[in-house]
Amino acid sequence: MTAPAAFARHGAAALGLLLAWHLAAQALAGSHMLAGPLDVAVYLATHHALMGRALIVTLENAAWGFLAGNLAAVGLALIVALMPRTRVVVAAVALVVFCLPLVATGPVLRVLYGPGPGPQITLAALAVYYTSFIPLLVGLRAAPASWFDLIRLYGRGAWTAFVQIRVMAALPYLMAGLQIAAPAAFLGAMVGEFTGADRGMGVLSIRAMRGLDVEATWTIALVAATVAMLAYGAIGALAARLSPARPDILLATAPAPAKGNPMLRGLGLAMLTALVVLALWWALMEAFALSRFFAKRPDDIWRYLISAPTAAANRATLWAASVETLRLVVPGYLAGLGAGAGLAMALVLVPWIAGAVLPLAVALRSVPIVTTAPLIVLALGRDTLGTITIVAVMTFFPALVACIQGLRQAPGQALDVMRIYATGRLTQLWHAQIPAMLPAFFAAARLSVPAAILAVTVAEWLATGRGLGALMAMTASTSNYNMLWSAIVVVAVGSALGYALVAWLERAVMARVAPEQLRG
Amino acid sequence: MAEPMAQPGPEILCDAVAKEFGHGPARVEAVSPLSLRFAAGRMTALVGPSGCGKSTVLRMVAGLEAPSAGLILLGEERPEEMQRKGALAMAFQDASLLPWRSVTGNVALARKLARLPADPEGVAEMIARVGLAGFERARPAELSGGMRQRVAIARCLVTAPRVLLLDEPFGAVDELTRARLNAELPPLWRARATTCLLVTHSVREAVALADRVVVFSSRPARVVGDIAIPEAARTDSAQRLALMDKVSAALSQGWDESGADTRLAAQ
């Protein structure tokens, strides 16, 4: 297709979309669900100064968080590159920290920092460092052995190999991580602003939602989504310039080769991780001499949940909230993954649609959940269905993108062999494409666990007023820091366990369909 | 060009060299004790069935694998010492070019790694010599498999190594280019008196290029044939064919189960 023709087609598609949006808004007028393109344009025109100021504040916080989080990711990756034995433990601790619920860490950080942009920047950094760290880990190992032979052949050592090979080989992986990090930093900054900032897109968003201001909610969501997509696209373009020879990056960590009993190893890793996290937690609180009133130590939580007279009641409250949250997050998570994988497979049967949907899905994946959540709440209400849908949307797009990319990994020659025997599309899908898709699918499924829990807690906090999200928001506002920290522990441990469960399933499935993927 | 300064290659000695991989039940004997001398400044071809261990011999001479037993000397020196002097070069089966470097960048990297002064003219001349003039700025992904292997050969030669190790370097090169390279490259390493080891599947190539062909059995590698190729065979096609038959016969003799592909390659 020539460039003008493509331009015309995309232009026509955009116009059609605008028209459909307008008609839908007309049809739903008066229902307080959907603001049409004209409403949004009018709102933007009248409030552009306010929006512009808020956007600049949030962008600045997001940029600092992006920088800090990615520096942390590079630092962690360097530790692992220099001391490969620490890889499993560093990755596990990094995961637990990534699983800390933003909804609860936000208020705690607000108390620690006081007023100012501190919490926003920290939350933005926390939202990005893990998704940059994981591809870097893969990238630093993603060089074939013969490249290192070449270095040794001339008598050069590990430092030359690091500079000439590892850094360069990791660069495209770093760029892939940065691309996902850009919208995530924006999300983190917005959640940080929810926790009592006085300026920024997050503040506007909360105000619009509380006031049921449909035009404002839609305008903020669209502006935030546009910024996130632009950041995603800009880093993608930069990556294409910097490293033209880009490998296919699926963000899948190669599972460690199993030595000995996998159950025992898993248990050992879990205990070691818990020990390191507890030590870090305690040391961090002591190092900054933070007040025990709001900066709880591990032994405070132990007393609160185990040894205090009211411990049983505390546990019961926490348990009830956890069960409520689980009822929402599990169906949403499974529905999102299933719909993503299912749509990807359906699209592969009609390849020309897949080509059109992939860029759209990639773009929508970068839209922060805090901008879509209010829209879904407007449309589906503050109840079970709305929350489950928010979780499903959060897991749907990563799963869809990963699965389309994974389905394309099917070796072309294997498909050619099947075509020679006039094999049907479904048989090809089953024998060649689905096995090729599974590594990408599981990578998305693992990373979607913390994302789903973030989505459900944000929805519970902002909309439903039930479950762990609401419990954390309420205890934060009533200064019940024992319960708040207990909820943080429960969410972090639960997320990490969910992640481990998916990783275990992944190993079991991969051992059957693609044992070569498990070799370290 | 650094040719006049190139030092002649040393004799290579393999004394009772053996290699095992793995431990316990997973132990694999790749090379059973092997004693060989490869003459200084000459090219020796190593042929044998797939997986017989000939590449392992090459990697041990390069110092990339340590022998489980025995001693390897290049002249007076261990492979590791030769590595540090930048006196070794090796072409790998898969070319192993760095994808983010251009053709020129990949070839120039070898001089940098070998701690030799940059030599842009020498790099350009070597690229032209392997027939890639005009592709200097291309990235490996833009080249065919055969072109990549030619870049790898240029990368080997640009440091004027004393020992040149070639692991099936022409596998993906098309027949015509291969014939041209087979004609053009040997004068280069003969003039420099480089000691060369060539691992190949092709009996024709072994006889055409080498001064001597060593035939290995299937794994673990034992020597089942050692055939000198006289200078006259380069011009006398009848003699060349007779030598090819001789090499093929030795291959068949050492053929256990895995020899089918060597028969095909001999045709």
Side-chain angles (χ1 to χ4, degrees):
Chain A
M1 193 168 24
T2 59
F7 188 76
R9 250 178 79 158
H10 287 138
L15 269 179
L17 213 61
L18 265 179
L19 192 67
W21 177 18
H22 179 72
L23 291 177
Q26 292 279 306
L28 293 169
S31 66
H32 288 286
M33 278 167 63
L34 182 58
L38 292 175
D39 307 323
V40 168
V42 167
Y43 187 91
L44 255 186
T46 45
H47 296 84
H48 61 91
L50 175 72
M51 293 285 277
R53 280 198 304 275
L55 191 60
I56 286 171
V57 169
T58 307
L59 275 179
E60 196 184 329
N61 292 336
W64 284 113
F66 181 80
L67 187 69
N70 285 306
L71 282 179
V74 171
L76 285 176
L78 285 182
I79 291 177
V80 173
L82 296 175
M83 294 179 285
R85 283 167 170 279
T86 61
R87 187 175 84 99
V88 188
V89 175
V90 171
V93 173
L95 173 68
V96 173
V97 175
F98 182 62
C99 288
L100 294 177
L102 298 186
V103 173
T105 39
V108 171
L109 288 169
R110 175 61 63 200
V111 186
L112 296 185
Y113 279 105
Q120 293 91 302
I121 293 173
T122 312
L123 286 187
L126 281 174
V128 304
Y129 85 98
Y130 191 72
T131 48
S132 296
F133 169 61
I134 289 300
L136 262 180
L137 266 193
V138 180
L140 285 170
R141 289 152 50 98
S146 63
W147 294 358
F148 297 103
D149 285 345
L150 182 73
I151 301 292
R152 285 172 56 208
L153 193 66
Y154 294 100
R156 305 300 286 265
W159 175 249
T160 308
F162 185 76
V163 173
Q164 291 290 345
I165 293 182
R166 286 197 197 276
V167 169
M168 293 304 294
L171 191 63
Y173 290 83
L174 174 67
M175 297 309 290
L178 292 184
Q179 210 179 359
I180 291 181
F186 198 73
L187 160 83
M190 274 184 79
V191 173
E193 287 163 358
F194 287 0
T195 63
D198 45 7
R199 288 179 304 163
M201 294 293 280
V203 179
L204 292 190
S205 182
I206 286 250
R207 233 183 264 161
M209 207 167 30
R210 297 255 154 90
L212 277 180
D213 186 341
V214 180
E215 286 81 21
T217 308
W218 272 87
T219 309
I220 292 163
L222 288 173
V223 168
T226 309
V227 168
M229 284 192 269
L230 284 179
Y232 183 90
I235 293 183
L238 185 70
R241 282 190 68 126
L242 279 183
S243 47
R246 296 183 76 185
D248 282 310
I249 294 166
L250 297 170
L251 304 183
T253 36
K259 277 186 226 120
N261 185 334
M263 286 295 273
L264 273 180
R265 275 177 60 87
L267 207 65
L269 175 63
M271 284 173 54
L272 191 56
T273 306
L275 215 65
V276 173
V277 169
L278 286 177
L280 274 178
W281 174 4
W282 185 82
L284 213 62
M285 299 294 124
E286 292 299 325
F288 292 97
L290 299 173
S291 154
R292 262 190 191 256
F293 173 63
F294 53 80
K296 298 294 176 193
R297 315 297 201 261
D299 55 310
D300 294 320
I301 302 310
W302 175 267
R303 260 195 303 283
Y304 184 71
L305 289 180
I306 309 288
S307 61
T310 57
N314 299 336
R315 284 202 304 270
T317 311
L318 205 50
W319 177 249
S322 305
V323 169
E324 262 188 308
T325 297
L326 269 181
R327 278 199 189 133
L328 298 173
V329 75
V330 172
Y333 171 78
L334 294 178
L337 280 186
L343 182 59
M345 285 187 258
L347 288 175
V348 153
L349 296 177
V350 221
W352 67 270
I353 301 187
V357 167
L358 185 61
L360 188 69
V362 165
L364 288 177
R365 179 181 65 170
S366 65
V367 175
I369 185 71
V370 283
T371 65
T372 35
L375 307 183
I376 296 169
V377 169
L378 280 177
L380 297 175
R382 296 172 177 262
D383 221 336
T384 315
L385 185 62
T387 313
I388 290 181
T389 309
I390 289 171
V391 176
V393 167
M394 189 78 175
T395 50
F396 170 76
F397 286 108
L400 177 65
V401 173
C403 287
I404 291 181
Q405 286 172 341
L407 285 165
R408 291 186 173 170
Q409 300 295 310
Q413 288 177 346
L415 291 175
D416 286 345
V417 168
M418 293 190 175
R419 280 189 202 115
I420 285 171
Y421 295 107
T423 322
R425 297 284 313 161
L426 281 176
T427 316
Q428 292 177 22
L429 189 67
W430 179 251
H431 285 289
Q433 292 175 305
I434 291 181
M437 180 193 85
L438 285 174
F441 170 78
F442 276 112
R446 269 187 281 128
L447 278 175
S448 288
V449 172
I453 290 181
L454 168 69
V456 78
T457 47
V458 168
E460 285 171 338
W461 167 34
L462 294 180
T464 68
R466 300 197 331 231
L468 282 171
L471 181 70
M472 291 189 284
M474 190 190 63
T475 50
S477 59
T478 56
S479 303
N480 184 355
Y481 289 108
N482 272 319
M483 184 54 100
L484 183 61
W485 281 84
S486 302
I488 293 179
V489 171
V490 166
V491 171
V493 170
S495 305
L497 286 181
Y499 187 99
L501 179 70
V502 177
W504 175 78
L505 265 176
E506 176 180 17
R507 287 195 69 89
V509 173
M510 296 307 252
R512 283 185 67 95
V513 304
E516 78 283 352
Q517 298 267 350
L518 296 181
R519 274 178 222 133
Chain B
M1 207 60 232
E3 265 163 85
M5 295 148 52
Q7 290 176 279
E11 182 189 53
I12 299 173
L13 169 73
C14 296
D15 185 14
V17 170
K19 182 68 186 176
E20 293 165 0
F21 291 105
H23 304 282
R27 197 184 72 110
V28 174
E29 190 180 21
V31 179
S32 64
L34 196 69
S35 292
L36 279 167
R37 272 173 198 279
F38 302 111
R42 312 308 288 271
M43 169 170 274
T44 308
L46 312 179
V47 298
S50 298
C52 75
K54 51 194 191 301
S55 289
T56 306
V57 172
L58 208 64
R59 290 177 60 80
M60 289 193 289
V61 172
L64 297 174
E65 302 285 353
S68 309
L71 178 70
I72 292 177
L73 286 178
L74 305 133
E76 308 277 291
E77 293 169 298
R78 303 288 198 113
E80 296 74 27
E81 293 166 88
M82 292 293 273
Q83 285 180 350
R84 278 193 286 277
K85 292 182 173 173
L88 283 175
M90 181 164 173
F92 301 90
Q93 277 174 32
D94 63 347
S96 293
L97 304 180
L98 303 185
W100 51 83
R101 283 177 170 262
S102 64
V103 168
T104 300
N106 267 290
V107 176
L109 176 67
R111 288 193 69 87
K112 188 172 172 184
L113 291 176
R115 299 188 171 85
L116 293 170
D119 177 14
E121 284 159 32
V123 169
E125 193 190 321
M126 200 48 81
I127 291 170
R129 209 182 271 240
V130 295
L132 289 175
F135 289 94
E136 288 85 355
R137 302 177 64 159
R139 306 256 176 184
E142 296 158 4
L143 303 177
S144 72
M147 291 161 98
R148 277 180 234 158
Q149 284 191 320
R150 279 141 67 191
V151 178
I153 290 167
R155 181 173 65 188
C156 282
L157 295 173
V158 79
T159 57
R162 298 177 61 203
V163 174
L164 177 60
L165 307 167
L166 303 167
D167 194 354
E168 293 185 42
F170 305 116
V173 177
D174 66 274
E175 197 65 34
L176 263 172
T177 314
R178 194 170 178 146
R180 229 197 70 211
L181 291 178
N182 284 355
E184 277 190 15
L185 294 179
L188 191 61
W189 53 68
R190 286 210 193 95
R192 291 170 172 179
T194 311
T195 308
C196 300
L197 291 185
L198 167 72
V199 163
T200 178
H201 270 116
S202 162
V203 173
R204 180 206 300 265
E205 186 168 86
V207 172
L209 290 182
D211 304 295
R212 173 188 172 202
V213 179
V214 174
V215 184
F216 287 130
S217 69
S218 54
R219 196 174 70 197
R222 287 176 296 110
V223 175
V224 291
D226 194 337
I227 297 144
I229 310 293
E231 195 61 41
R234 290 193 212 294
T235 45
D236 180 348
S237 62
Q239 193 182 357
R240 205 158 59 229
L241 282 174
L243 286 164
M244 282 167 64
D245 278 346
K246 213 170 154 188
V247 172
S248 299
L251 268 172
S252 307
Q253 185 204 327
W255 177 49
D256 290 339
E257 294 91 40
S258 55
D261 62 329
T262 54
R263 279 196 179 172
L264 285 175
Q267 283 164 8

